[in-house]
Every structure is written in C-alpha cells, then in structure tokens.
Amino acid sequence: MIASGAVTAVLTWTMTTAPAAAADGVQRASVVSGSPGSYSCALVDYDGTACFESYGEWFWVKDTHDDRVPVAIKWSHRTSTGALRSGVIYNDRGPSAGWTAVNKSFEEELQVSYYLCDFDLATFEAYNCWGPAAVQT
C-alpha cells in the first residue's frame, strides 16, 4: 500500500556491444559484394575456397561446386592467456551466392588456424575437413 499520491518508477536499460568472442561457435556467413585479396586464400579445392584476411580479421568462404552440400571454415585461435577460441563459419547459399564472409576480432600478432570443410545443416557439424592453413593476425 502506498501512502503518498504518486509513485515514480525509473527503468534503466543499458545496451552494450558484445565482443566478437561472444559470436564464436557456429555462424552463417553473409553474402558480400566484395572479395578477398588473392594472397589470403590458402585453401582451395573442388568444393570451395576458404580465405582469411588478417587485416580486419575477415573469414571468406565460397561454394564452388553445385552439389547442394554447404561448405564451411573450421577455425581456432589461442589467445595470449592460453584460452582457445574456435568456431565454424558456413555457407549454405550455393555457388550462385558468390563470396560470403564473417568479420571476427582476434588479438594481434597471434596465430589463427583454419580448415575448409563440408557442412551438415542437420547436425551443424563440419566434416571432411582438409588443411590447415595457419596465419598470423
């Protein structure tokens, strides 16, 4: 029971931007209008192409075989504290989509390793992987 006439409620809502580390795990790549620099594409095979550009920490993945099997990048990065970050970036849009990409954020001067894989949409698992490519951020 309130004895006085009015009650004032104050709600505070704080919005913060989550760090890129929060986006680790499985991510669907977005269709983009650009393309990676040719020097950054370390893994190329019949099914697809996987690239990593260290400036800006961009992963690029392109499906090059119209077999209705999505392609993926399986990546890992060990931080300066020894923590392991890892994830899978997949492209299920087929060859007609062209390049797809995901922007990450990694500590500078450390190594990122990645594989080119096929991807199962039912289980969200990368399989039939080959590589790795290892690059410095």
Side-chain angles (χ1 to χ4, degrees), residues 19-40:
D24 294 352
V26 178
Q27 294 178 275
R28 185 180 192 209
S30 299
V31 175
V32 293
S33 59
S35 62
S38 60
Y39 64 89
S40 64

Side-chain angles (χ1 to χ4, degrees), residues 29-105:
S30 299
V31 175
V32 293
S33 59
S35 62
S38 60
Y39 64 89
S40 64
C41 295
L43 300 174
V44 179
D45 81 355
Y46 182 70
D47 289 330
T49 303
C51 312
F52 178 75
E53 285 186 313
S54 58
Y55 183 75
E57 292 99 16
W58 283 92
F59 279 108
W60 299 79
V61 61
K62 184 176 184 179
D63 190 341
T64 57
H65 182 63
D66 197 10
D67 58 359
R68 299 178 190 242
V69 176
V71 292
I73 293 172
K74 186 175 182 177
W75 63 269
S76 63
H77 170 72
R78 185 140 331 255
T79 69
S80 60
T81 63
L84 180 65
R85 290 180 57 193
S86 63
V88 174
I89 296 166
Y90 71 95
N91 171 359
D92 64 342
R93 302 166 194 268
S96 64
W99 285 107
T100 62
V102 169
N103 183 227
K104 303 299 287 180
S105 182

